[in-house]
Amino acid sequence: MSPFATAPVDPESPAAQAVIAGARADTAYPKFSDIPPAPANPRTARDWARAVASVEAAGAQLAAQTAPGTWTLDGTAAFAARAQADVTPPPAITTSDTEAFARDARERATPPPSPR
């Protein structure tokens, strides 16, 4: 079978119906006269350079103003080590504590009243 052969299509499928409807639709296609005219006074290369320098200067000023509050994802291993050193791990869970808890809960439990 050739990979370029037309695959069978179920004409009742929603996709096939949408393709057929789209192919039959009378749509207006753009004309060359729809293309807008070229701008009368385009920006020069020197003007582009000034605009880029202005944006970069504004970015540098913003970075300098917000530097004290800027954070990064660098040094995560050191951060994790400090955080782990600051906390103590919880005590290990043992089965004897679990069994004692369950036994105590069963002893304190009050059965529900029987249905009448």
Side-chain angles (χ1 to χ4, degrees), residues 79-105:
F79 172 80
R82 283 193 313 274
Q84 289 173 350
D86 290 347
V87 297
T88 56
I93 297 174
T94 61
T95 57
S96 61
D97 293 336
T98 305
E99 289 301 321
F101 174 79
R103 185 174 49 256
D104 183 51

mmCIF file of all heavy atoms in Angstrom, residues 79-105:
data_model
loop_
_atom_site.group_PDB
_atom_site.id
_atom_site.type_symbol
_atom_site.label_atom_id
_atom_site.label_comp_id
_atom_site.label_asym_id
_atom_site.label_seq_id
_atom_site.Cartn_x
_atom_site.Cartn_y
_atom_site.Cartn_z
ATOM 1 N N PHE A 79 20.560 25.901 50.482
ATOM 2 C CA PHE A 79 19.316 26.264 51.157
ATOM 3 C C PHE A 79 18.701 25.034 51.820
ATOM 4 O O PHE A 79 18.267 25.089 52.976
ATOM 5 C CB PHE A 79 18.340 26.878 50.163
ATOM 6 C CG PHE A 79 16.967 27.104 50.740
ATOM 7 C CD1 PHE A 79 16.712 28.199 51.540
ATOM 8 C CD2 PHE A 79 15.945 26.205 50.483
ATOM 9 C CE1 PHE A 79 15.453 28.407 52.077
ATOM 10 C CE2 PHE A 79 14.683 26.403 51.016
ATOM 11 C CZ PHE A 79 14.438 27.505 51.814
ATOM 12 N N ALA A 80 18.664 23.925 51.105
ATOM 13 C CA ALA A 80 18.080 22.701 51.658
ATOM 14 C C ALA A 80 18.878 22.208 52.851
ATOM 15 O O ALA A 80 18.303 21.766 53.851
ATOM 16 C CB ALA A 80 18.009 21.623 50.579
ATOM 17 N N ALA A 81 20.205 22.302 52.777
ATOM 18 C CA ALA A 81 21.042 21.863 53.902
ATOM 19 C C ALA A 81 20.773 22.723 55.130
ATOM 20 O O ALA A 81 20.676 22.203 56.252
ATOM 21 C CB ALA A 81 22.507 21.919 53.500
ATOM 22 N N ARG A 82 20.653 24.051 54.959
ATOM 23 C CA ARG A 82 20.356 24.936 56.100
ATOM 24 C C ARG A 82 18.986 24.625 56.676
ATOM 25 O O ARG A 82 18.804 24.578 57.894
ATOM 26 C CB ARG A 82 20.419 26.403 55.675
ATOM 27 C CG ARG A 82 21.816 26.959 55.530
ATOM 28 C CD ARG A 82 21.814 28.484 55.430
ATOM 29 N NE ARG A 82 20.830 29.034 54.496
ATOM 30 C CZ ARG A 82 21.035 29.194 53.189
ATOM 31 N NH1 ARG A 82 22.186 28.855 52.654
ATOM 32 N NH2 ARG A 82 20.086 29.706 52.427
ATOM 33 N N ALA A 83 18.000 24.402 55.807
ATOM 34 C CA ALA A 83 16.651 24.111 56.280
ATOM 35 C C ALA A 83 16.607 22.791 57.043
ATOM 36 O O ALA A 83 15.944 22.690 58.081
ATOM 37 C CB ALA A 83 15.687 24.074 55.096
ATOM 38 N N GLN A 84 17.317 21.791 56.568
ATOM 39 C CA GLN A 84 17.343 20.503 57.262
ATOM 40 C C GLN A 84 18.082 20.603 58.586
ATOM 41 O O GLN A 84 17.743 19.916 59.550
ATOM 42 C CB GLN A 84 17.968 19.442 56.368
ATOM 43 C CG GLN A 84 17.067 19.066 55.211
ATOM 44 C CD GLN A 84 17.734 18.144 54.209
ATOM 45 O OE1 GLN A 84 18.937 17.921 54.271
ATOM 46 N NE2 GLN A 84 16.956 17.626 53.271
ATOM 47 N N ALA A 85 19.089 21.480 58.665
ATOM 48 C CA ALA A 85 19.817 21.658 59.921
ATOM 49 C C ALA A 85 18.970 22.405 60.941
ATOM 50 O O ALA A 85 19.153 22.238 62.153
ATOM 51 C CB ALA A 85 21.121 22.403 59.671
ATOM 52 N N ASP A 86 18.039 23.241 60.491
ATOM 53 C CA ASP A 86 17.211 24.044 61.395
ATOM 54 C C ASP A 86 16.081 23.258 62.036
ATOM 55 O O ASP A 86 15.520 23.704 63.033
ATOM 56 C CB ASP A 86 16.616 25.235 60.637
ATOM 57 C CG ASP A 86 17.663 26.270 60.280
ATOM 58 O OD1 ASP A 86 18.790 26.195 60.828
ATOM 59 O OD2 ASP A 86 17.363 27.150 59.450
ATOM 60 N N VAL A 87 15.717 22.117 61.501
ATOM 61 C CA VAL A 87 14.581 21.377 62.033
ATOM 62 C C VAL A 87 15.046 20.032 62.573
ATOM 63 O O VAL A 87 16.067 19.504 62.179
ATOM 64 C CB VAL A 87 13.501 21.142 60.951
ATOM 65 C CG1 VAL A 87 12.929 22.448 60.479
ATOM 66 C CG2 VAL A 87 14.033 20.339 59.804
ATOM 67 N N THR A 88 14.254 19.516 63.502
ATOM 68 C CA THR A 88 14.532 18.169 64.001
ATOM 69 C C THR A 88 13.496 17.240 63.401
ATOM 70 O O THR A 88 12.311 17.585 63.322
ATOM 71 C CB THR A 88 14.446 18.121 65.535
ATOM 72 O OG1 THR A 88 13.162 18.592 65.929
ATOM 73 C CG2 THR A 88 15.516 18.984 66.174
ATOM 74 N N PRO A 89 13.922 16.082 62.983
ATOM 75 C CA PRO A 89 12.955 15.159 62.376
ATOM 76 C C PRO A 89 11.981 14.643 63.426
ATOM 77 O O PRO A 89 12.305 14.585 64.607
ATOM 78 C CB PRO A 89 13.837 14.041 61.817
ATOM 79 C CG PRO A 89 15.092 14.105 62.609
ATOM 80 C CD PRO A 89 15.270 15.533 63.019
ATOM 81 N N PRO A 90 10.795 14.276 63.029
ATOM 82 C CA PRO A 90 9.829 13.728 63.987
ATOM 83 C C PRO A 90 10.310 12.368 64.476
ATOM 84 O O PRO A 90 11.113 11.713 63.822
ATOM 85 C CB PRO A 90 8.547 13.606 63.164
ATOM 86 C CG PRO A 90 9.009 13.501 61.755
ATOM 87 C CD PRO A 90 10.264 14.302 61.670
ATOM 88 N N PRO A 91 9.843 11.955 65.641
ATOM 89 C CA PRO A 91 10.260 10.639 66.138
ATOM 90 C C PRO A 91 9.775 9.531 65.200
ATOM 91 O O PRO A 91 8.751 9.667 64.538
ATOM 92 C CB PRO A 91 9.595 10.536 67.510
ATOM 93 C CG PRO A 91 8.478 11.512 67.481
ATOM 94 C CD PRO A 91 8.884 12.605 66.530
ATOM 95 N N ALA A 92 10.527 8.487 65.168
ATOM 96 C CA ALA A 92 10.174 7.357 64.306
ATOM 97 C C ALA A 92 8.884 6.717 64.794
ATOM 98 O O ALA A 92 8.634 6.624 65.999
ATOM 99 C CB ALA A 92 11.299 6.337 64.305
ATOM 100 N N ILE A 93 8.074 6.274 63.887
ATOM 101 C CA ILE A 93 6.820 5.606 64.226
ATOM 102 C C ILE A 93 7.129 4.135 64.462
ATOM 103 O O ILE A 93 7.735 3.475 63.618
ATOM 104 C CB ILE A 93 5.797 5.766 63.097
ATOM 105 C CG1 ILE A 93 5.453 7.242 62.909
ATOM 106 C CG2 ILE A 93 4.542 4.953 63.386
ATOM 107 C CD1 ILE A 93 4.558 7.508 61.729
ATOM 108 N N THR A 94 6.718 3.651 65.595
ATOM 109 C CA THR A 94 6.935 2.232 65.900
ATOM 110 C C THR A 94 5.586 1.542 66.001
ATOM 111 O O THR A 94 4.572 2.161 66.318
ATOM 112 C CB THR A 94 7.700 2.059 67.226
ATOM 113 O OG1 THR A 94 6.908 2.631 68.268
ATOM 114 C CG2 THR A 94 9.058 2.756 67.174
ATOM 115 N N THR A 95 5.602 0.262 65.772
ATOM 116 C CA THR A 95 4.346 -0.484 65.831
ATOM 117 C C THR A 95 3.831 -0.585 67.257
ATOM 118 O O THR A 95 2.633 -0.653 67.475
ATOM 119 C CB THR A 95 4.525 -1.887 65.242
ATOM 120 O OG1 THR A 95 5.570 -2.551 65.940
ATOM 121 C CG2 THR A 95 4.830 -1.807 63.764
ATOM 122 N N SER A 96 4.721 -0.552 68.254
ATOM 123 C CA SER A 96 4.240 -0.658 69.636
ATOM 124 C C SER A 96 3.419 0.578 69.995
ATOM 125 O O SER A 96 2.396 0.473 70.675
ATOM 126 C CB SER A 96 5.410 -0.831 70.601
ATOM 127 O OG SER A 96 6.265 0.296 70.533
ATOM 128 N N ASP A 97 3.856 1.771 69.549
ATOM 129 C CA ASP A 97 3.077 2.980 69.808
ATOM 130 C C ASP A 97 1.742 2.908 69.084
ATOM 131 O O ASP A 97 0.712 3.334 69.618
ATOM 132 C CB ASP A 97 3.839 4.223 69.371
ATOM 133 C CG ASP A 97 5.088 4.482 70.214
ATOM 134 O OD1 ASP A 97 5.131 4.018 71.365
ATOM 135 O OD2 ASP A 97 5.989 5.146 69.699
ATOM 136 N N THR A 98 1.739 2.396 67.884
ATOM 137 C CA THR A 98 0.507 2.293 67.103
ATOM 138 C C THR A 98 -0.468 1.331 67.771
ATOM 139 O O THR A 98 -1.664 1.611 67.888
ATOM 140 C CB THR A 98 0.821 1.834 65.671
ATOM 141 O OG1 THR A 98 1.778 2.711 65.106
ATOM 142 C CG2 THR A 98 -0.423 1.815 64.810
ATOM 143 N N GLU A 99 0.047 0.205 68.196
ATOM 144 C CA GLU A 99 -0.816 -0.776 68.863
ATOM 145 C C GLU A 99 -1.369 -0.217 70.159
ATOM 146 O O GLU A 99 -2.538 -0.415 70.488
ATOM 147 C CB GLU A 99 -0.053 -2.073 69.116
ATOM 148 C CG GLU A 99 0.248 -2.870 67.872
ATOM 149 C CD GLU A 99 -1.016 -3.251 67.117
ATOM 150 O OE1 GLU A 99 -2.033 -3.590 67.763
ATOM 151 O OE2 GLU A 99 -0.989 -3.182 65.878
ATOM 152 N N ALA A 100 -0.553 0.517 70.917
ATOM 153 C CA ALA A 100 -1.029 1.106 72.169
ATOM 154 C C ALA A 100 -2.102 2.146 71.889
ATOM 155 O O ALA A 100 -3.110 2.232 72.616
ATOM 156 C CB ALA A 100 0.138 1.733 72.936
ATOM 157 N N PHE A 101 -1.910 2.942 70.859
ATOM 158 C CA PHE A 101 -2.906 3.949 70.492
ATOM 159 C C PHE A 101 -4.225 3.276 70.102
ATOM 160 O O PHE A 101 -5.306 3.698 70.540
ATOM 161 C CB PHE A 101 -2.377 4.812 69.342
ATOM 162 C CG PHE A 101 -3.398 5.774 68.814
ATOM 163 C CD1 PHE A 101 -3.671 6.963 69.480
ATOM 164 C CD2 PHE A 101 -4.108 5.485 67.652
ATOM 165 C CE1 PHE A 101 -4.623 7.837 69.004
ATOM 166 C CE2 PHE A 101 -5.062 6.364 67.173
ATOM 167 C CZ PHE A 101 -5.328 7.549 67.849
ATOM 168 N N ALA A 102 -4.145 2.255 69.284
ATOM 169 C CA ALA A 102 -5.361 1.561 68.841
ATOM 170 C C ALA A 102 -6.066 0.913 70.021
ATOM 171 O O ALA A 102 -7.302 0.980 70.132
ATOM 172 C CB ALA A 102 -5.012 0.528 67.772
ATOM 173 N N ARG A 103 -5.309 0.290 70.930
ATOM 174 C CA ARG A 103 -5.906 -0.359 72.094
ATOM 175 C C ARG A 103 -6.597 0.681 72.977
ATOM 176 O O ARG A 103 -7.736 0.494 73.424
ATOM 177 C CB ARG A 103 -4.833 -1.106 72.887
ATOM 178 C CG ARG A 103 -5.374 -1.903 74.054
ATOM 179 C CD ARG A 103 -4.322 -2.758 74.756
ATOM 180 N NE ARG A 103 -3.102 -2.024 75.091
ATOM 181 C CZ ARG A 103 -1.941 -2.134 74.427
ATOM 182 N NH1 ARG A 103 -1.834 -2.956 73.403
ATOM 183 N NH2 ARG A 103 -0.890 -1.446 74.799
ATOM 184 N N ASP A 104 -5.942 1.826 73.199
ATOM 185 C CA ASP A 104 -6.517 2.895 74.008
ATOM 186 C C ASP A 104 -7.795 3.437 73.359
ATOM 187 O O ASP A 104 -8.784 3.686 74.049
ATOM 188 C CB ASP A 104 -5.491 4.014 74.201
ATOM 189 C CG ASP A 104 -6.004 5.110 75.085
ATOM 190 O OD1 ASP A 104 -6.501 4.816 76.191
ATOM 191 O OD2 ASP A 104 -5.912 6.297 74.661
ATOM 192 N N ALA A 105 -7.781 3.604 72.035
ATOM 193 C CA ALA A 105 -8.962 4.107 71.328
ATOM 194 C C ALA A 105 -10.127 3.130 71.437
ATOM 195 O O ALA A 105 -11.276 3.537 71.616
ATOM 196 C CB ALA A 105 -8.621 4.377 69.870
#
